[in-house]
């Protein structure tokens, strides 16, 4: 924001003296501004960690929760309620931030998330836990969107690459640390602490953001698009339920799944009709007219599809085929996560220095395709070292794509649409993950059962009639021939998952070729003598913190 000249200032006579004074002032203020920016980024990363960690930390505690609260038949809803609420509320949080200001909306989402966490920890029945998890998910929908949109406000795209490594590191911590922290808290403090642990971390984020973050206040004269929000919520809910229930609770061709599909299509069609006619659409369709935004949103969907699908079935392969413990299977994902972290750091640095980014979606798509294909070649004889190399290649591809797609998406929308642009990219990545786990899971289950029937006969196939996944303790109790058949079946199922993942990744790699290298906003250049225009690009950033 450029400082406006007051009425009593001489327009030109005092310019040299004023320039000299301003040249002397920045060194005294630069350090506090830099510190405050660092504090804000730190608080945002805590919020991002909370959003990503929560689902992963809950999984290891589920057997203990069921043992105390009962309700085994409703176990999946503990996760589904959270996922549904998160996905459905994501675009709404983004629009609210655009209309009424990012800071207040973000603080509200943190407060709702922490309230849901506290209530979840106090739940006395499975029904209460499911309801409180939905509240927690509503808040979580605003956490990721708020983080991305606030960073989009504070840091211009040209400079945003330097923070990619931090965000990739937070993702790695969540993926590795989630199961470890969840198991440790459950074993030593009780399962309720997997929710209570959010409270001190969230309090730190709340305090830091309240004290340090200063963004321009907004007040929109328009009304919230309640009809569009309701229709979008119904459509997203139907899609998530299809991916959650299809092939598990109900057959893919059952009336329930077909009915949900019809409801989802009709709701989304009505949503598109409404959004074309309201003054303040919850998801402005004009942002999709930008080819780059549409392409990177599609790439983000495919990345989520592959990433969540692979991270879901890799630990199962490692535990069943390679004999790893539950804890070690999380640590064995380190090659993939380290590859993602290192490449994300490099990509961010190169983008910041050069302003070039198109190469990263292309290389990322090729690396993911290659990594998934190599993973599809694994069998019962593949060593951990070999699978680690394959995972590292996959992680390098993710490192090229995870933050770069968000960077391009935010650079492709106007500043007034930063919230809905960020929420749309986040939403499609989330939906990609849901579809990936569901579709690849169905392929995995069918392949495991077919292989069990082929290698072990009807009795062996009956073991996986209820589920294609057996825990390590149950696996040890199986007769050696049946255990051998199951090991080969899991390896065969993993082959199908990764092979189809590689084929789908090709679509993302092809889409990346059509991304245009549009100059990133906010490129920092050295101004020529008397040229203040270049310096203005960094001015809004300095004024917001």
């Amino acid at each position: 924001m450029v400082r406006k000249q007051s009425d009593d200032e001489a327009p030109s006579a005092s310019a040299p003296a004023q320039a000299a004074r301003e040249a002397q002032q920045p060194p005294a203020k630069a350090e506090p501004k830099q510190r405050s920016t660092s504090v804000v980024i730190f608080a945002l990363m805590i919020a991002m960690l909370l959003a990503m960690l929560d689902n992963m930390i809950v999984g290891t505690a589920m057997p203990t929760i069921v043992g105390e609260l009962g309700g085994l038949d409703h176990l999946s809803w503990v996760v589904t309620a959270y996922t549904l609420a998160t996905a459905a509320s994501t675009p709404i949080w983004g629009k609210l931030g655009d209309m009424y200001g990012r800071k207040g909306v973000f603080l509200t989402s943190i407060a709702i998330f922490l309230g849901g966490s506290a209530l979840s920890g106090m739940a006395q029945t499975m029904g209460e836990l499911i309801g409180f998890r939905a509240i927690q998910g509503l808040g979580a929908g605003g956490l990721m969107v708020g983080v991305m949109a606030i960073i989009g406000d504070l840091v211009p795209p040209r400079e945003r690459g330097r923070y990619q490594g931090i965000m990739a590191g937070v993702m790695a911590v969540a993926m590795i640390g989630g199961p470890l922290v969840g198991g440790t808290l459950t074993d030593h403090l009780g399962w309720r602490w997997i929710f209570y642990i959010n409270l001190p971390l969230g309090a730190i984020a709340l305090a830091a953001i309240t004290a340090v973050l200063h963004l321009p206040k907004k007040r929109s004269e328009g009304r919230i698009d309640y009809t569009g929000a309701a229709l979008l919520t119904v459509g997203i809910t139907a899609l998530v339920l299809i991916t959650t229930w299809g092939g598990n609770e109900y057959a893919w061709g059952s009336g329930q799944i077909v009915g949900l599909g019809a409801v989802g299509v009709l709701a989304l069609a009505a949503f598109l009709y409404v959004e074309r006619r309201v003054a303040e659409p919850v998801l402005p369709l004009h942002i999709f007219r930008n080819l780059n935004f549409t392409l990177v949103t599609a790439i983000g969907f495919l990345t989520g599809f592959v990433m969540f699908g692979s991270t879901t079935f890799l630990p199962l392969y490692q535990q069943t085929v390679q004999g790893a413990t539950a804890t070690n299977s999380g640590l064995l994902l380190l090659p993939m996560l380290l590859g993602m972290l290192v490449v994300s750091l490099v990509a961010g640095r190169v983008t910041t220095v050069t302003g070039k980014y198109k190469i990263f979606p292309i290389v990322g798509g090729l690396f993911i395709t290659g990594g998934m294909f190599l993973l599809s070649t694994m069998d019962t004889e593949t060593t951990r070292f070999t699978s680690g190399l394959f995972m590292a290649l996959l992680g390098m591809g993710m490192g090229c794509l995870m933050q770069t797609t968000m960077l391009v998406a935010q650079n492709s929308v106007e500043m007034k649409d930063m919230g809905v642009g960020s929420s749309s990219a986040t939403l499609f990545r989330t939906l990609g993950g849901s579809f990936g786990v569901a579709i690849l899971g169905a392929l995995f289950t069918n392949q495991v059962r077919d292989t069990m029937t082929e290698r072990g006969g009807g009795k062996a196939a009956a073991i996986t009639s209820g589920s294609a996944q057996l825990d390590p303790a149950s696996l040890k109790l199986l007769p050696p021939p049946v255990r051998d058949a199951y090991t080969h079946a899991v390896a065969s199922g993993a082959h199908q998952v990764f092979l189809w993942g590689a084929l789908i990744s090709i679509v993302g790699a092809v889409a990346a070729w059509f991304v245009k290298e549009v100059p990133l906003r906010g490129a920092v250049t050295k101004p020529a003598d008397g040229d203040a225009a270049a310096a203005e690009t960094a001015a809004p950033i300095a004024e917001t913190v």
Side-chain angles (χ1 to χ4, degrees):
M1 185 180 300
V2 180
R3 190 176 66 86
K4 293 184 178 179
Q5 190 178 48
S6 61
D7 294 336
D8 58 348
E9 282 185 300
S12 59
S14 61
Q18 179 182 339
R21 286 195 303 271
E22 291 179 351
Q24 295 174 353
Q25 289 176 357
K29 296 183 179 181
E31 186 177 352
K33 285 182 182 289
Q34 185 177 7
R35 284 202 302 267
S36 61
T37 303
S38 300
V39 172
V40 170
I41 295 297
F42 174 73
L44 292 176
M45 291 305 102
I46 291 178
M48 182 177 175
L49 178 64
L50 291 176
M52 297 194 65
L53 190 66
D54 208 72
N55 258 343
M56 297 180 179
I57 203 174
V58 169
T60 52
M62 290 310 299
T64 305
I65 293 175
V66 172
E68 180 173 330
L69 300 183
L72 179 62
D73 294 341
H74 305 294
L75 176 64
S76 63
W77 274 101
V78 175
V79 176
T80 302
Y82 180 91
T83 304
L84 272 176
T86 300
S89 64
T90 292
I92 299 172
W93 284 113
K95 184 61 179 179
L96 290 174
D98 286 340
M99 293 179 66
Y100 301 111
R102 213 81 66 200
K103 180 177 178 178
V105 171
F106 185 56
L107 291 175
T108 301
S109 70
I110 296 178
I112 293 175
F113 179 83
L114 295 181
S117 298
L119 291 171
S120 296
M122 295 185 289
Q124 299 301 312
T125 66
M126 186 62 75
E128 288 182 1
L129 179 60
I130 291 170
F132 296 150
R133 283 282 285 168
I135 296 175
Q136 195 182 20
L138 285 175
L143 293 184
M144 283 295 291
V145 175
V147 169
M148 296 301 179
I150 290 174
I151 290 178
D153 281 344
L154 292 180
V155 186
R158 177 65 183 268
E159 300 299 312
R160 207 171 299 153
R162 67 181 62 183
Y163 299 105
Q164 287 184 200
I166 300 176
M167 289 185 275
V170 170
M171 293 179 184
V173 169
M175 290 180 181
I176 296 177
L180 297 178
V181 172
T184 301
L185 290 176
T186 302
D187 290 340
H188 295 89
L189 297 177
W191 65 266
R192 298 181 187 277
W193 278 93
I194 67 175
F195 301 112
Y196 292 150
I197 193 65
N198 293 331
L199 302 181
L201 294 175
I204 293 173
L206 270 175
I209 291 172
T210 300
V212 180
L213 179 62
H214 304 289
L215 293 173
K217 294 183 179 180
K218 301 178 182 178
R219 182 65 186 178
S220 174
E221 298 296 331
R223 298 178 58 187
I224 298 177
D225 177 21
Y226 291 107
T227 302
L231 290 170
L232 182 61
T233 299
V234 171
I236 292 174
T237 299
L239 291 178
V240 174
L241 287 177
I242 289 173
T243 61
T244 303
W245 286 347
N248 295 314
E249 298 288 334
Y250 307 101
W252 285 103
S254 65
Q256 291 87 344
I257 299 300
V258 173
L260 281 172
V263 169
V265 170
L266 291 175
L268 293 178
F271 168 75
L272 293 176
Y273 177 83
V274 170
E275 295 305 277
R276 292 179 181 274
R277 286 159 177 78
V278 295
E280 287 287 349
V282 68
L283 185 60
L285 300 182
H286 68 81
I287 62 176
F288 290 96
R289 295 174 188 165
N290 185 294
L291 180 61
N292 266 11
F293 183 84
T294 301
L295 286 173
V296 296
T297 301
I299 293 171
F301 177 90
L302 297 172
T303 302
F305 189 105
V306 173
M307 185 182 75
F308 287 101
S310 61
T311 54
T312 298
F313 296 101
L314 270 172
L316 179 61
Y317 171 85
Q318 291 163 339
Q319 292 180 42
T320 303
V321 180
Q322 295 183 328
T325 64
T327 300
N328 286 341
S329 66
L331 296 176
L332 288 174
L333 293 176
L334 271 174
M336 180 176 70
L337 301 174
L338 288 176
M340 181 175 70
L341 174 60
V342 171
V343 172
S344 185
L345 282 168
V346 173
R349 179 62 179 169
V350 171
T351 301
T352 299
V353 172
T354 67
K356 306 295 183 181
Y357 55 83
K358 179 176 179 177
I359 186 64
F360 296 112
I362 295 174
V363 172
L366 295 176
F367 277 8
I368 288 181
T369 301
M372 293 295 283
F373 176 76
L374 290 173
L375 287 171
S376 73
T377 64
M378 296 190 304
D379 55 25
T380 57
E381 304 299 325
T382 303
T383 65
R384 295 181 183 181
F385 177 79
T386 301
S387 60
L389 293 178
F390 298 164
M391 285 188 285
L393 183 62
L394 178 63
M396 291 167 65
M398 292 178 181
C400 288
L401 285 171
M402 288 298 293
Q403 300 306 323
T404 305
T405 52
M406 180 63 72
L407 173 70
V408 177
Q410 291 180 334
N411 191 61
S412 302
V413 298
E414 299 179 30
M415 290 298 295
K416 67 181 181 66
D417 292 324
M418 184 65 69
V420 293
S422 302
S423 65
S424 298
T426 303
L427 172 63
F428 277 90
R429 185 182 297 175
T430 301
L431 291 177
S434 298
F435 275 90
V437 172
I439 295 174
L440 295 179
L443 291 170
F444 175 84
T445 299
N446 291 334
Q447 185 65 29
V448 167
R449 291 173 180 170
D450 291 345
T451 305
M452 286 290 286
T453 301
E454 179 184 340
R455 297 184 68 93
K459 292 183 178 180
I463 295 175
T464 56
S465 60
S467 172
Q469 302 183 24
L470 299 177
D471 59 81
S474 301
L475 185 61
K476 292 179 180 179
L477 300 177
L478 296 177
V482 178
R483 189 189 314 139
D484 180 71
Y486 183 70
T487 300
H488 281 83
V490 169
S492 181
H495 165 77
Q496 287 292 319
V497 165
F498 297 128
L499 182 60
W500 278 100
L503 295 175
I504 293 169
S505 299
I506 294 175
V507 180
V510 171
W513 282 97
F514 296 95
V515 173
K516 295 181 180 179
E517 189 114 64
V518 178
L520 296 173
R521 290 193 298 262
V524 178
T525 58
K526 292 183 180 180
D529 293 340
D531 182 11
E536 290 180 9
T537 58
I541 313 310
E543 293 291 335
T544 54
V545 180

